[in-house]
Amino acid sequence: MSTVEHWINGAATAGASSRTAPVFNPATGAPATRVRLAGPSDVDAAADAAAHAFESWSETSLSQRIKVMFAFRELLVRHEDELARIISAEHGKVVDDARGEIVRGREVVEYVCGLGDILKGSFSDQVSTGVDVHDFRQPLGVCAGITPFNFPAMVPLWMHPVAIATGNTFVLKPSERDPSAANLVARLYQEAGLPDGVFNVVHGDKTAVDAILDHPGIAAVSFVGSTPIAKYVHERGTAHGKRVQALGGAKNHGVVMPDADLDFAAKHLIAAAYGSAGERCMAISVAVAVGSAADPLVEILERKARAIKVGPGDDPTSEMGPLVTAAAQERVTGAVASGAAQGATVVVDGRGLKIEGHENGFFVGPSLLDRVTTGMDAYREEIFGPVLAVVRVDTVDEAIALINANPYGNGTAVFTSDGGTARHFQRKVTVGMIGVNVPVPVPMSYYSFGGWKDSLIGDSPVHGPEGVRFYTRAKVVTTRWPHRERETAAGFSFPTSD
């Protein structure tokens, strides 16, 4: 069995720790490879390599850094199929879905290819007699990313291109469940001309995470994952003086109004709920049916859910693949059972699904629960699987109140043909990302991604303008060039512009 190694200072390395963990093929349920689990000394080695590389990389011209990003972007295009198949084999999502996450991640690379305009500072002439003021931004130093299993390419691409293009160096700790994509990305960076040590990968578990959070040489940490871990990362990282981006969990609602095109809404709710087997932080897991929309919406959802083709990710006919682990499979089937026990109507039951030739795979079919209430576990918990819960309300204001009472505020959507309803909805919901007839409102790379409430710990969204600000710090320079022949008085009172 092959072993996925760390990537430190431009080369694959076994590191000092002898610990490993199995990496499963979710479609078969069997271990396919194993991954090294870093110890503190391995994190030290990566951080040291990044710190040494920062000395020269931070002084490299912006135009040269952007040239590397252009080359990296082209290599991502060239190796898209290879990278997608690696993701599918370890995560379980279908290959086309994996290609989609690569494209969305690549958009961040394209955004930073325009960094010359983004990083332009401001200049104020003659703010006082003979005095000018300008500002500019500089990199922080060594930055780190701790990323989840569900998007092994896209989420890291939200982080490291922005950090590297702005002059930082980077240590990535990807999920140990699907680690191989990170190593291919490291090789592509090297082929693009990125100097050794600028981008490093350490694989591992909580031991590696804690070593990153405690490391005195790491200036900033970016994290995407569950809310409890996001809170932990934010608290521990900031306690050690780091900047921290910490994005947490979600419980996203899709509100369907009676005036909506119900077939259109159902089609997009199905894709948003069951795409990537529901393992998305922006998945719609609650359909809020308003008034007379409820019964016909559930009928269409049932028909479309039953038609989904579930199978291994490398089968081009598959629309939905397996879950990532046996534990995830067990959690999702337990959520359906809990919903049934607590009074929900199980309209479509995905439990017990067996795929011919892949009987031991971590498969769960699409499940649809109707008449779910906010007190049920199926509503309250982030299931992170192919389960769509339907909650019935009478008015749009009742739907808004329901969403606002939820502790999460990542994404939401409303399906309607009425502009007034849409405007009222988007102004009143306490959610960070909103779709109008768009079920998964992940913003383009030149906007920033981040929710509200327990979906974002702290106040630092990722990529876009907020990402650039996170990975840089500002300097403001006040300048005077006095004429030698004219003496300028100096005073001991606080300086003013007089």
Side-chain angles (χ1 to χ4, degrees):
M1 186 180 292
S2 62
T3 302
V4 180
E5 299 190 326
H6 313 298
W7 181 273
I8 298 175
N9 204 27
T13 175
S17 173
S18 60
R19 295 188 307 132
T20 63
V23 179
F24 289 88
N25 179 338
T28 65
T33 186
R34 59 189 173 189
V35 61
R36 300 279 182 187
L37 299 178
S41 62
D42 300 315
V43 173
D44 287 344
D48 289 348
H52 178 73
F54 178 74
E55 296 176 11
S56 56
W57 182 247
S58 60
E59 294 298 326
T60 301
S61 70
L62 179 58
S63 61
Q64 182 58 38
R65 298 199 303 264
I66 290 174
K67 285 178 183 177
V68 171
M69 286 297 159
F70 269 109
F72 178 57
R73 186 262 178 202
E74 292 306 304
L75 288 167
L76 284 174
V77 173
R78 192 182 310 165
H79 292 270
E80 181 181 294
D81 187 69
E82 179 186 2
L83 185 55
R85 292 187 182 280
I86 287 172
I87 293 168
S88 177
E90 293 183 348
H91 173 278
K93 66 177 65 178
V94 299
V95 172
D96 277 350
D97 190 26
R99 288 194 187 98
E101 76 159 277
I102 296 164
V103 171
R104 292 308 304 266
R106 194 174 70 224
E107 290 170 356
V108 177
V109 182
E110 294 164 354
Y111 172 71
V112 300
C113 284
L115 202 60
D117 185 66
I118 299 162
L119 277 182
K120 284 193 303 188
S122 59
F123 183 90
S124 296
D125 173 68
Q126 194 77 349
V127 298
S128 186
T129 304
V131 177
D132 306 323
V133 179
H134 72 277
D135 67 350
F136 62 97
R137 305 191 72 85
Q138 289 186 306
L140 305 176
V142 180
C143 301
I146 302 166
T147 56
F149 74 87
N150 59 326
F151 288 103
M154 184 183 75
V155 170
L157 283 165
W158 286 355
M159 302 171 183
H160 53 73
V162 186
I164 291 170
T166 51
N168 301 280
T169 54
F170 204 84
V171 177
L172 174 63
K173 204 300 287 183
S175 171
E176 66 275 24
R177 298 176 190 174
D178 43 11
S180 297
N183 285 33
L184 176 54
V185 167
R187 295 189 196 99
L188 297 184
Y189 263 134
Q190 187 176 62
E191 188 177 342
L194 192 70
D196 293 345
V198 175
F199 180 73
N200 307 273
V201 180
V202 289
H203 299 287
D205 51 13
K206 186 176 183 295
T207 299
V209 169
D210 287 346
I212 288 170
L213 296 175
D214 296 347
H215 199 287
I218 295 176
V221 175
S222 302
F223 172 84
V224 174
S226 70
T227 291
I229 306 302
K231 291 180 177 178
Y232 173 82
V233 167
H234 190 271
E235 180 180 357
R236 187 158 180 164
T238 54
H240 285 83
K242 305 184 193 310
R243 287 189 179 185
V244 179
Q245 285 175 324
L247 279 68
K251 194 71 178 181
N252 304 317
H253 301 71
V255 176
V256 182
M257 299 299 297
D259 62 12
D261 180 330
L262 294 186
D263 192 72
F264 175 90
K267 177 173 65 176
H268 287 277
L269 285 173
I270 288 289
Y274 303 127
S276 197
E279 294 174 318
R280 295 172 175 165
C281 67
M282 288 293 284
I284 293 289
S285 55
V286 180
V288 184
V290 179
S292 61
D295 285 342
L297 177 66
V298 171
E299 290 176 9
I300 302 170
L301 288 172
E302 177 183 4
R303 184 174 70 250
K304 292 183 181 296
R306 293 188 185 280
I308 294 172
K309 174 71 164 58
V310 182
D314 60 357
D315 182 344
T317 68
S318 296
E319 295 172 300
M320 190 182 100
L323 293 163
V324 68
T325 62
Q329 180 188 42
E330 183 178 350
R331 184 187 67 249
V332 172
T333 56
V336 177
S338 171
Q342 293 176 353
T345 302
V346 181
V347 180
V348 180
D349 192 341
R351 294 173 292 176
L353 177 67
K354 295 295 181 182
I355 303 299
E356 185 177 354
H358 297 79
E359 286 79 8
N360 294 321
F362 308 138
F363 289 96
V364 177
S367 293
L368 177 63
L369 308 180
D370 189 15
R371 301 187 183 277
V372 173
T373 65
T374 57
M376 295 179 182
D377 292 341
Y379 177 81
R380 293 186 300 106
E381 296 177 0
E382 184 184 19
I383 299 171
F384 222 63
V387 180
L388 178 60
V390 179
V391 177
R392 297 175 178 232
V393 299
D394 293 327
T395 67
V396 67
D397 285 320
E398 190 178 343
I400 291 169
L402 182 144
I403 294 168
N404 291 351
N406 194 277
Y408 296 111
N410 208 41
T412 189
V414 61
F415 291 88
T416 181
S417 60
D418 183 82
T421 298
R423 189 173 189 277
H424 176 68
F425 179 84
Q426 69 192 38
R427 288 183 58 80
K428 294 300 182 181
V429 289
T430 54
V431 175
M433 293 171 285
I434 302 162
V436 176
N437 298 313
V438 175
V440 184
V442 177
M444 296 297 291
S445 60
Y446 37 86
Y447 287 85
S448 297
F449 179 105
W452 286 15
K453 298 184 288 189
D454 280 354
S455 294
L456 178 68
I457 311 305
D459 60 354
S460 295
V462 295
H463 68 64
E466 295 288 347
V468 172
R469 280 192 284 271
F470 178 79
Y471 289 119
T472 59
R473 70 184 88 205
K475 282 182 176 177
V476 181
V477 181
T478 304
T479 306
R480 173 190 284 135
W481 298 103
H483 295 290
R484 288 183 179 274
E485 65 272 18
R486 186 176 70 201
E487 183 175 344
T488 302
F492 288 94
S493 59
F494 193 82
T496 71
S497 60
D498 293 338

